[in-house]
């Protein structure tokens, strides 16, 4: 949270015109500056690209390159893991350019940015199970991709958005399953049943939904609700865990 808070502050400062790049980037024509920024982007030198794009954004906010600079900054911030800055630039672009031909890509990038917020260095390095963490970024990413499909049904990014929605749905189901398991381990039987039913209602076609039936049966048995135990056993037979 500390990193996000600091990044958010920096995003506000940047978008308010407080970038320090004016002091280090030579005063050259915008075409030359943009050309060097593109070279940096193509070579994956994200910091170098960001410095030049920020300089252009500060010096020529209404110039011929203005919209493309914003789009390039979104991508460069994302690739550089400056996620708060990427998100702030996305929101700024959509606010100022609601009918842009690139709006579908920007919304797609917003989904990617939210997805990236739901990972950590330790998770990436050691593949740590993080289903007990806050799922808010994943929920926001799912909404972004859903909005993309609804608003731009013929977008070139639709196929990837659909695939990511499947991944996110399974991930979110696992989050809720982890919560249900936590309640079972704490013997909070009613809370466990409610969370299991939420998994089954929101994500019926996931592995987590089938696993939740086992937890639900345990909770009913502990409450000595024999009728519900029998009903859940029948559901387990119809939906075996694979």
């Amino acid at each position: 949270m500390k990193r996000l808070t600091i990044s958010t502050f920096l995003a506000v400062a940047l978008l308010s015109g407080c970038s320090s790049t004016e002091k280090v980037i030579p005063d050259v024509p915008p075409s030359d500056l943009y050309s060097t920024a593109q070279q940096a982007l193509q070579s994956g030198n994200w910091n170098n690209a960001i410095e030049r794009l920020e300089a252009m954004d500060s010096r020529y906010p209404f110039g011929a390159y203005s919209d493309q600079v914003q789009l390039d900054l979104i991508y460069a911030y994302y690739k550089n893991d400056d996620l708060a800055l990427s998100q702030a630039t996305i929101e700024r672009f959509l606010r100022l350019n609601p009918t842009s031909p690139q709006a579908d890509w920007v919304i797609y990038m917003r989904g990617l940015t939210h997805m990236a917020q739901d990972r950590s260095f330790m998770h990436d390095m050691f593949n740590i199970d993080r289903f007990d963490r806050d799922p808010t970024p994943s929920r926001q990413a799912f909404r972004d991709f859903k909005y993309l499909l609804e608003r731009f049904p013929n977008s070139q990014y639709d196929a990837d958005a659909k695939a990511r929605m499947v991944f996110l749905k399974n991930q979110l189901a696992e989050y809720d399953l982890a919560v249900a398991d936590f309640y079972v381990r704490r013997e909070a039987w009613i809370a466990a049943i409610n969370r299991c039913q939420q998994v089954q209602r929101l994500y019926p076609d996931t592995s987590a939904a089938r696993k939740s039936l086992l937890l639900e049966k345990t909770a009913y048995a502990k409450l000595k609700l024999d009728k519900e135990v029998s009903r859940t056993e029948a559901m387990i037979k119809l939906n075996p865990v694979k």
Side-chain angles (χ1 to χ4, degrees):
M1 289 299 295
K2 186 175 294 183
R3 178 181 182 277
L4 181 59
T5 301
I6 294 172
S7 297
T8 303
F9 173 79
L10 291 175
V12 173
L14 169 62
L15 298 180
S16 299
C18 298
S19 172
S20 61
T21 55
E22 285 284 349
K23 300 178 181 178
V24 297
I25 302 300
D27 187 9
V28 297
S31 59
D32 293 347
L33 189 53
Y34 186 70
S35 178
T36 59
Q38 288 299 300
Q39 292 173 12
L41 284 173
Q42 292 169 12
S43 65
N45 190 339
W46 311 121
N47 284 324
N48 191 292
I50 287 170
E51 288 176 353
R52 281 151 179 77
L53 291 168
E54 286 180 356
M56 288 198 67
D57 188 41
S58 176
R59 297 175 188 176
Y60 315 106
F62 306 107
Y65 296 92
S66 177
D67 288 352
Q68 189 58 49
V69 164
Q70 291 296 305
L71 296 171
D72 290 343
L73 275 172
I74 289 169
Y75 183 71
Y77 285 143
Y78 170 76
K79 295 296 288 185
N80 204 44
D81 206 29
D82 295 326
L83 302 178
L85 289 168
S86 181
Q87 187 172 339
T89 309
I90 286 169
E91 299 305 330
R92 175 189 178 190
F93 184 90
L94 290 174
R95 185 176 67 254
L96 297 176
N97 306 276
T99 60
S100 169
Q102 288 80 33
D104 62 332
W105 178 82
V106 177
I107 293 168
Y108 173 72
M109 287 301 301
R110 186 168 65 185
L112 293 184
T113 300
H114 279 134
M115 280 190 74
Q117 289 175 8
D118 194 24
R119 70 168 188 250
S120 71
F121 171 77
M122 295 298 290
H123 177 234
D124 292 340
M125 177 172 286
F126 300 110
N127 196 28
I128 297 171
D129 186 346
R130 299 174 63 248
F131 289 137
D132 60 337
R133 292 178 65 92
D134 180 13
T136 298
S138 288
R139 295 190 197 282
Q140 292 172 328
F142 188 90
R143 287 195 292 267
D144 289 331
F145 294 130
K146 182 179 179 182
Y147 178 67
L148 172 64
L149 295 177
E150 292 172 347
R151 182 174 175 186
F152 303 99
N154 298 315
S155 171
Q156 63 179 307
Y157 308 106
D158 281 8
D160 188 70
K162 289 177 182 177
R164 290 179 184 276
M165 287 178 70
V166 172
F167 170 82
L168 289 166
K169 179 174 66 174
N170 282 283
Q171 186 178 52
L172 290 168
E174 292 290 345
Y175 277 124
D176 278 352
L177 182 66
V179 174
D181 181 66
F182 172 83
Y183 288 143
V184 167
R185 287 185 281 110
R186 296 298 186 275
E187 301 185 359
W189 309 121
I190 299 298
I193 291 168
N194 289 337
R195 188 55 65 114
C196 287
Q197 291 177 348
Q198 177 172 304
V199 176
Q200 296 156 24
R201 183 177 69 257
L202 296 179
Y203 317 107
D205 56 344
T206 64
S207 174
R210 294 188 291 271
K211 294 176 184 177
S212 72
L213 290 169
L214 301 175
L215 296 177
E216 189 176 6
K217 175 188 171 182
T218 298
Y220 281 136
K222 293 295 183 178
L223 292 173
K224 301 186 184 304
L225 298 173
D226 297 337
K227 182 177 179 180
E228 283 73 14
V229 169
S230 297
R231 177 180 59 79
T232 306
E233 286 177 341
M235 292 294 295
I236 292 172
K237 290 180 181 180
L238 292 174
N239 301 275
V241 176
K242 298 178 182 179

